[in-house]
Amino acid sequence: MTTPGADPRPGPLEGLRVVEIGDRGEVAGKLLADAGADVIRVEPPSGARSRHIGPFVADRPDPNHSLSFHARNTSKRSVTLDLGTDTGRDLWRRLVGWSEVVIDSSGPGVLDALGAGYTTFADHVGFVWCSITPFGLTGPWRDWAAADLVNLALGGAMMSTGYEDHDLPPIRPDGEHTIAIANEYAVSGILSALWLRDGDGEGAGGGQLLDVSIHEAASTTTEGSFPNWEYFGRIVQRQTGRHASPDGTPPWQFLCTDGEYILLMGGGVPREKRILDALIEWIAETRPDLAQRLRDPAVEEVLYRDPRSRPDLRRMVSETIGEFVQSRPSQEIYRRGQSLHLPWGHVRRPEENLDDPHWADRGFFWEGEAPGHPTPVRYMGAPYRMTASPVRLRRRPPLLGEHNHEVYVGLLGVEAGSLAGLTKAGAI
Amino acid sequence: MTDAATPTAQPQAGLRPLPLQGIRVCDFSWIVAGPQATRILADLGAEVVKVENESYLDSMRIGLQSNSERPTYNGSGFHSNLSRNKLGVTANLHHPKGREVVERLIAQSDVVVENYSAGAFGRMGFSWERLQQLNPRIIYVSLSGYGHLGRDNSYVTWGPTAQAVSGCTQMSGMPDQPPAGWGFSYLDHTAGFYGAIAILMGLHHRRRTGEGQHIDISQIETGMVLCGIPVLDRQINGRDYVRIGNHSRYPAIAPHHTYRCRDDELSDRWVAIVAETDAQWRGLCEELGMAALASDARFATNEDRVRNQGALDAAITERTRDRDAAELMYALQARGVAAGLCQRTDDKMERDPQLRERGFYRTAPHAELGEHRFEGIPIAFERARWRMDRGAPLLGEDTFDVLTRVLDYSVEEVVELQTEAAV
């Protein structure tokens, strides 16, 4: 397990100065902050939206104890300010003046209307202002009402996801994925714009506005449905627990004897003859009847010489393997299947990964304090292990306005004695 | 916002720089996850050189052939979309001169990317130690299922396997049904998105320190990071994750669901509706002609609506069932209610005015498939651009160009390499 300070070497973005405002840019801010950027989350005095939606520590609502906030705000600092006040706007302008990157997800035109948007900073040269909005800053849907569910529907992922039974709705996987996707693209955009700024070619020295659209981010994340339409004029139909397809495919997901699901990639048919042979031996240990079905010489012919000749036989193989895995516990299928290089996965609940020692070997989880909880917890780590510039938990998620003094007095030179008055006046 | 400050993807985009111009990527990646990572870099201007040979071919070249009667290595539109804007080089690693071509390319590159099973690239002769000998400043990104480090590093994944193990599959679907998972390889995309980020972080680090490095990515971990909230909830509140269909638990909002509309000739049709505020709730009731519901005590507040969500969804469905889904979306949005048609790809590509106005799908040529549209990238730059110059390279299409222009081979030498089947 990696603990804060375990690897003191600088992260890849050490020293990058970032301010983040709005509720749809938390993931981008976190990715930069864990990589060493100094990210200041700017919140209204009442706190960011994620501080109010839970789940809360011990289920007691408290803006400092929301796990939705904790999960996406590690390594950041927090300041409060009210953009509706002159002082709040002044502090905001000074923060932007300090920054190299602004992540602004407050909505199209929202900051502009307050005199606090990108256009206000015309003489601040060389900074990158990354706007993240549901539909982008232009276009007929620019001002539409949005939610993750709506964006995932419009982006196309939902029509590919769900069940064979089309009386059941297209499904939105839980987790605000459209916001995650847009934020992942936003980080690539920001780092690319900084690369251009810091180089010596055309565009060097300059910053710019980036306009990231959540709708477009979702729309570019649907894999096979795109070529099926563009090249064949066909649409894909959703199926239970596997890829949508223009034609039906055999099931991939099966219930094992322990009540857990197993995922057999591609229906479980091994891609090589030698793996099929090993699989048949394994099946024969407990289900000789099923093994016998697969020993038909026609099976080998169809699978590995002429795959398109007998779809019925291919389906039979898939169904037979499916019948076998349903007669065994999931862990045996998962571990022993993987020992044969079969890309089979146990359908885990996310929290089950906490107990898998493989992730501990990798130092994936980061141990740290979670405000409101008495003992340290493990946070999700970074999805990349960098050998020379470690990405790590820099600090626990901040309390609301925890760094007002540090930032306003220490960084911006506001007189310490005035902070109490600003708080009382509601400016911060 | 003034026009001058509104970044547009086009039309004057052709005059602007590509942000990653000058970066060269030696790309051994295949299938989807690795190519998705390098596609982002290529769209943003990096010179991505896709290295292949018939003995280690990107198998996406085989799938979804445009002409299934006459399959070729270049006939897949699926592959073309994933590897557009890249250059294609062939090199035979079993031939010493073919190996030398690859080694010279690595020496001239900023980044090497591969997404083979852990250890496979080393067995091909390109261990991290060897890569450093060839190029001390190289950034090496390996993208495998479980990562190179760790006891289960020999395990293998495809997107759906990684979705299952990470927890993403469990977090999708109705509570009284099996997991629905994702209807495509979501974690191939996501691993690619994080791959691109990691490469860019590595480049920034190198620009400051001169130091290259090995970046070890596990596809499953790219899914695990999307499950942070339930993992904290488990540790802090002792709760196991339970599926919620299309409802919303954090925050608890109702209505928050997809509602059946009138089917069309291609499929069933659904519209997603989220009414968070009381004003949106009233707007929804008005549009659907549900005056009785608006004054029904069971649905008076958001808390009430969440508590009686089953009855609420049934009542709404009764009103949406015979509506045209797209028309209903526009009508609800006109009233300020968050609503979205569950779009198919034909909706997005032929009828979505937002994607059209922003120039999201662009047309580019491909030497065998002709002119086709490609999915864009969701970032409009004010003073830079992304490109859509051409589809995926034919197998070996740019071998001559890269060997002579980048690697200083003479024309005669390239001909000799080709004669010997080294490239």
Side-chain angles (χ1 to χ4, degrees), chain A residues 32-43:
Chain A
L32 299 176
D34 291 336
D38 184 357
V39 178
I40 299 177
R41 178 94 199 256
V42 179
E43 306 183 61

Side-chain angles (χ1 to χ4, degrees), chain A residues 36-65:
Chain A
D38 184 357
V39 178
I40 299 177
R41 178 94 199 256
V42 179
E43 306 183 61
S46 58
R49 176 176 163 90
S50 58
R51 291 188 182 275
H52 299 281
I53 62 180
F56 296 97
V57 176
D59 291 330
R60 283 195 291 274
D62 180 318
N64 287 322
H65 298 168

